[in-house]
Amino acid sequence: MTSKITRTLSESQEGQIVEEKIYKANGEISFKRYSKGRFLGKGGFARVYEFLNLDSKQISAGKIISKASLNKSRARQKLMSEIKIHRSLNNQNIVRFEHFFEDSDNVYILLELCTNQTLSELIRRRKRLTEIEVQCYTFQAISALKYLHAHRVIHRDIKLGNLFLSDKMELKLGDFGLATKLEFDGERKRTICGTPNYIAPEILEGTHGHSYEVDTWSLGVLIYTMLIGKPPFETNDVKLTYRRIKMNAYSFPDQVPISKEARDIVSEILINDPTARPSLDDLLAHPFLCKNSLPKLLPASTLAVPPSSAYLKQFESTGKDDVKLSRPPRSSSQTRISEDLRSNRLEDGRLTEREIKSTNRVISRTESTACGSNTSRKTATISCYNFISGGPTLWVNKWVDYSNKYGLGYMLSNGCAGVYFNDASKIVANSKGDSFQYISRSGNGREETMVQHTIPNFPSELQKKVTLLQHFRKHLMIDKLCGDESKELVYIKKWLLTEHAIIFRLSNKVVQVSFLDKSELLLCSDSKMVTYVDKQGMPAIYPLSSAMETQNREMAKRLRYTKEILTSMLHPQTAGTGEYRPTGKNED
Ligand SMILES: Nc1ncnc2c1ncn2[C@@H]1O[C@H](COP(=O)(O)OP(=O)(O)OP(=O)(O)O)[C@@H](O)[C@H]1O
């Protein structure tokens, strides 16, 4: 084991030597020597220089923080937290933390050198970026955020100046001075921090704390800034900027032409209710990032000038079912939110753009377009359910939670589409879409009636519901995979969205629990069997009676969770550990 201390021979000028003193376990002392090179920049706390390791010849960015600036315990804590969080991270879109040491005057942090400065200098030079560049940088920024959030880290200072460019033009997120690590899922943070133009409204409001969604907000500000050239809420007065953020007061200037997809992604993110913002997976599947193939990295020429039209031509969209060359296959929980569903206004009932933006979350079990091997694996898995004896023959493949306006739209594995409306009535169409069943409560509300209709011969009072059904059907349409379509159509009787899963009770007595980590449980009360599909998509089937005693701990854990939720659905007043948060609509 070694302990380290350093001596700066001459601090004031470039070209000086910094020595790191290393105490070895056997009592010997050695020195690591660095030559302080070119000045790279300075922030609120640090001055940053190129540091050449004189042994390995490796060049790093050396961040020098004077100990005099750390006399307040808050500043010390901030630095300790920055080091603790940053050194634990390892991702190609995050500035690599190499090493840190100290001497009597300074703390030194050695970081991966990013020779092409930050997006801040880039925008200063270029004024604004072309959409292909914004797509490319946004994609990489989301990759960094996905990694961070998966490790329970919130960055809290996403902005142009903290996104660095490496010599290869790879985007690297840096500066973890405001980052925080959550102790547990669901923890809320209360510190007011961030950079004024990028700060999320929930941080300013401060009432319910904040979480990962603040990074998504700042990402929205970042995308806008790259496209337009200045931040959306910018004013000369910070207080006014905060007021504009709280009021969501921003607009797209007419003089900067941007695509509809670009506008959409910004306005879908910049929603003041953090729970209505899209997830990072939703964003990766957004038309803005999917409409054409993306370059993995941009040419260095774009540091000074926009990409040439010859260069742009290679990435032009070739059709709506393009398979993206440079993008990893999308996961099953990501699907392209249909362009039409966003923009189409429904006759009657009218979806406004804003409503769609704040509510539209699509979760799918399969991709409707070919998207690499992921799709075929999922499809194969789903088909597998049928070959396991006692396994369910029908399940929910895709759904759209539109419950803050209309209800839950879904597509079953046999190609039948349905809607569970907020008034607890249900509608389900056959796979051809030319007839449907309408299920509603009558009399004292206790009796359920089911009436079969054909299209277009149905009562006019059902027009709005049929229109909605057709919209959902159109946008969730997938190939018929498997599962019988019997005369009496199966539909969702109840559903519930919790923090970890969405639960469907189907009219064929199957309970389907689709967990956010992509594992799934299907409880079949007729066959008394449980099908468990793990995160990798492998199905296994167990008798219901012995499933709890299984060695499969992952499944047992999910079964316990499901049992708890089903119990609380039946006895809402007695159950509830506070571990889940029902938000879906239900019958009594
Ligand atoms: N890894 C790096 N590679 C190249 N240049 C860097 C690197 N890290 C920092 N810099 C340069 O140093 C400047 C200051 O760095 P940084 O913003 O991290 O300092 P800070 O004092 O921690 O900032 P803040 O006041 O935002 O907390 C950056 O704007 C950038 O120009």
Side-chain angles (χ1 to χ4, degrees), residues 9-28:
L9 297 181
S10 173
E11 178 56 86
S12 56
Q13 289 163 25
E14 286 181 33
Q16 301 303 314
I17 303 297
V18 174
E19 277 187 344
E20 176 185 0
K21 197 174 189 179
I22 300 172
Y23 293 93
K24 294 191 177 164
N26 62 8
E28 286 175 16

Side-chain angles (χ1 to χ4, degrees), residues 38-50 60-65 78 82 95-96 110-118 121 157 159 161-162 164-165 174-178 195:
R38 193 162 62 97
F39 174 71
L40 294 170
K42 101 183 204 314
F45 285 86
R47 279 160 299 129
V48 184
Y49 295 83
E50 280 184 358
S60 309
K63 204 164 162 173
I64 305 174
I65 302 114
K78 179 179 176 284
E82 175 175 352
V95 173
R96 195 177 57 253
L110 298 188
L111 301 168
E112 171 181 13
L113 177 66
C114 297
T115 50
N116 283 318
Q117 300 176 300
T118 72
E121 287 82 23
D157 203 13
K159 60 178 178 181
N162 286 336
F164 295 81
L165 289 170
D175 195 353
F176 287 79
L178 297 184
T195 296

Side-chain angles (χ1 to χ4, degrees), residues 31 52 73 80 96 144 190 202 219 272 289 309 311 347 361 453 459 464 501 513 533-534 543 546 548 550 562 578:
F31 292 95
L52 169 69
S73 82
M80 272 156 54
R96 195 177 57 253
R190 304 206 170 259
E202 63 269 29
L219 180 76
N272 283 40
L289 293 175
S309 46
Y311 176 83
E347 296 308 309
R361 289 163 61 93
H453 299 284
K464 184 176 158 190
V513 191
V533 187
D534 69 15
S546 59
M548 282 298 235
T550 170
T562 304

Side-chain angles (χ1 to χ4, degrees), residues 18-198:
V18 174
E19 277 187 344
E20 176 185 0
K21 197 174 189 179
I22 300 172
Y23 293 93
K24 294 191 177 164
N26 62 8
E28 286 175 16
I29 295 172
S30 67
F31 292 95
K32 226 186 233 176
R33 289 150 50 89
Y34 302 91
S35 169
K36 204 167 98 184
R38 193 162 62 97
F39 174 71
L40 294 170
K42 101 183 204 314
F45 285 86
R47 279 160 299 129
V48 184
Y49 295 83
E50 280 184 358
F51 263 47
L52 169 69
N53 181 325
L54 292 174
D55 295 327
S56 68
K57 305 291 178 229
Q58 186 186 335
I59 305 177
S60 309
K63 204 164 162 173
I64 305 174
I65 302 114
S66 150
K67 284 191 169 174
S69 69
L70 299 174
N71 54 5
K72 290 205 180 114
S73 82
R74 232 183 114 82
R76 269 198 308 277
Q77 265 178 10
K78 179 179 176 284
L79 181 66
M80 272 156 54
S81 153
E82 175 175 352
I83 292 174
K84 192 172 163 205
I85 291 176
H86 198 170
R87 71 190 298 211
S88 72
L89 306 172
N90 179 15
N91 178 269
Q92 71 176 41
N93 291 116
I94 291 176
V95 173
R96 195 177 57 253
F97 186 101
E98 289 173 352
H99 186 48
F100 80 103
F101 55 90
E102 62 181 305
D103 62 15
S104 51
D105 299 321
N106 301 306
V107 175
Y108 302 85
I109 300 176
L110 298 188
L111 301 168
E112 171 181 13
L113 177 66
C114 297
T115 50
N116 283 318
Q117 300 176 300
T118 72
L119 293 185
S120 180
E121 287 82 23
L122 179 66
I123 295 290
R124 213 168 296 146
R125 274 192 306 271
R126 292 268 316 277
K127 305 288 180 247
R128 57 178 167 268
L129 305 182
T130 59
E131 284 198 15
I132 194 100
E133 293 169 282
V134 179
Q135 287 172 319
C136 186
Y137 291 138
T138 302
F139 186 77
Q140 295 178 74
I142 294 175
S143 303
L145 285 180
K146 273 195 72 160
Y147 172 85
L148 283 187
H149 294 182
H151 290 79
R152 292 221 190 97
V153 173
I154 317 176
H155 186 277
R156 302 200 293 191
D157 203 13
I158 300 293
K159 60 178 178 181
L160 295 175
N162 286 336
L163 287 157
F164 295 81
L165 289 170
S166 74
D167 54 344
K168 297 193 190 77
M169 293 293 285
E170 201 163 25
L171 193 80
K172 307 266 178 180
L173 176 60
D175 195 353
F176 287 79
L178 297 184
T180 186
K181 189 166 171 119
L182 298 187
E183 305 265 312
F184 53 90
D185 283 333
E187 185 188 354
R188 311 288 298 169
K189 289 288 175 184
R190 304 206 170 259
T191 314
I192 298 181
C193 60
T195 296
N197 273 320
Y198 290 79

Side-chain angles (χ1 to χ4, degrees), residues 464-508:
K464 184 176 158 190
K465 286 182 172 171
V466 172
T467 307
L468 280 162
L469 169 72
Q470 286 170 330
H471 266 267
F472 280 125
R473 182 173 181 274
K474 184 171 155 212
H475 296 291
L476 293 171
M477 190 64 99
I478 46 169
D479 295 335
K480 181 172 166 177
L481 292 167
C482 41
D484 292 335
E485 182 183 339
S486 57
K487 214 158 164 229
E488 190 162 298
L489 298 177
V490 173
Y491 58 92
I492 290 181
K493 269 185 95 76
K494 284 191 177 189
W495 70 280
L496 182 74
L497 180 65
T498 74
E499 224 174 293
H500 303 292
I502 186 161
I503 298 148
F504 305 109
R505 214 188 97 202
L506 303 181
S507 60
N508 63 354

Side-chain angles (χ1 to χ4, degrees), residues 295-365:
K296 197 162 185 294
L297 298 171
L298 291 158
S301 60
T302 57
L303 289 169
V305 288
S308 66
S309 46
Y311 176 83
L312 290 177
K313 232 179 165 50
Q314 342 164 33
F315 303 105
E316 270 171 14
S317 170
T318 53
K320 74 177 172 63
D321 287 340
D322 265 357
V323 177
K324 308 298 172 293
L325 295 175
S326 56
R327 185 193 315 284
R330 286 180 282 156
S331 77
S332 66
S333 66
Q334 303 157 11
T335 192
R336 206 179 294 200
I337 299 173
S338 160
E339 187 54 18
D340 297 349
L341 187 57
R342 259 173 232 301
S343 56
N344 278 2
R345 299 182 144 241
L346 293 180
E347 296 308 309
D348 216 2
R350 315 294 162 185
L351 305 181
T352 65
E353 281 262 317
R354 190 123 202 116
E355 282 157 5
I356 298 170
K357 279 166 199 160
S358 64
T359 58
N360 203 355
R361 289 163 61 93
V362 177
I363 315 167
S364 78
R365 289 288 306 161

